[in-house]
Amino acid sequence: MADCPYCGAKLSGIYYSTTCPTCSKPLHTCTCCKFYSPSSHYGCRESVDELVQDKSRNNFCDYFRLREEPISQTSDKKKAQDLFDSLFNL
C-alpha cells in the first residue's frame, strides 16, 4: 500500500489513469515518480528514450515507481530564502 505524494491518502494500486481518491491529482506522472530529477537528462534518472513534455500528466512510462517522499508545495525560491535566513538567523 502506498501514500499519495500530494496529500498522503492511502492508495491500493497505481495504474496509468489512477487519480488520488482524496485530492483527485493524477498519480502515474513524472513528478510522482521516484526517478524524477529535473536536472537529469529528460528529467529522469532512468535512461528514457523520449522526452515527456508535461511532467504532471499521466504517461505510459515503464520505469514508473511511485515516490515515497511527499511532493513539496513550496517553491525552490522560498526554500532557498528560508535556508539563507536560517543561516544568518534572520
Side-chain angles (χ1 to χ4, degrees):
M1 186 163 265
D3 295 339
C4 172
Y6 293 105
C7 69
K10 298 292 181 197
L11 306 167
S12 57
I14 304 296
Y15 306 99
Y16 164 73
S17 61
T18 303
T19 58
C20 176
T22 304
C23 67
S24 301
K25 295 197 179 190
L27 296 173
H28 201 286
T29 66
C30 291
T31 54
C32 289
C33 182
K34 77 178 201 172
F35 299 117
Y36 177 63
S37 174
S39 61
S40 297
H41 181 66
Y42 289 151
C44 185
R45 288 190 303 267
E46 290 293 332
S47 57
V48 294
D49 295 329
E50 294 181 32
L51 172 66
V52 175
Q53 292 291 335
D54 189 349
K55 308 258 188 245
S56 61
R57 294 188 65 186
N58 287 340
N59 60 61
F60 289 105
C61 182
D62 290 331
Y63 294 114
F64 177 82
R65 299 293 177 269
L66 188 65
R67 67 188 305 151
E68 296 173 6
E69 71 278 355
I71 296 174
S72 174
Q73 300 300 322
T74 308
S75 71
D76 289 337
K77 183 178 178 182
K78 172 86 170 100
K79 286 181 191 176
Q81 184 65 47
D82 290 345
L83 286 171
F84 179 82
D85 290 348
S86 67
L87 181 64
F88 294 102
N89 296 320
L90 300 176

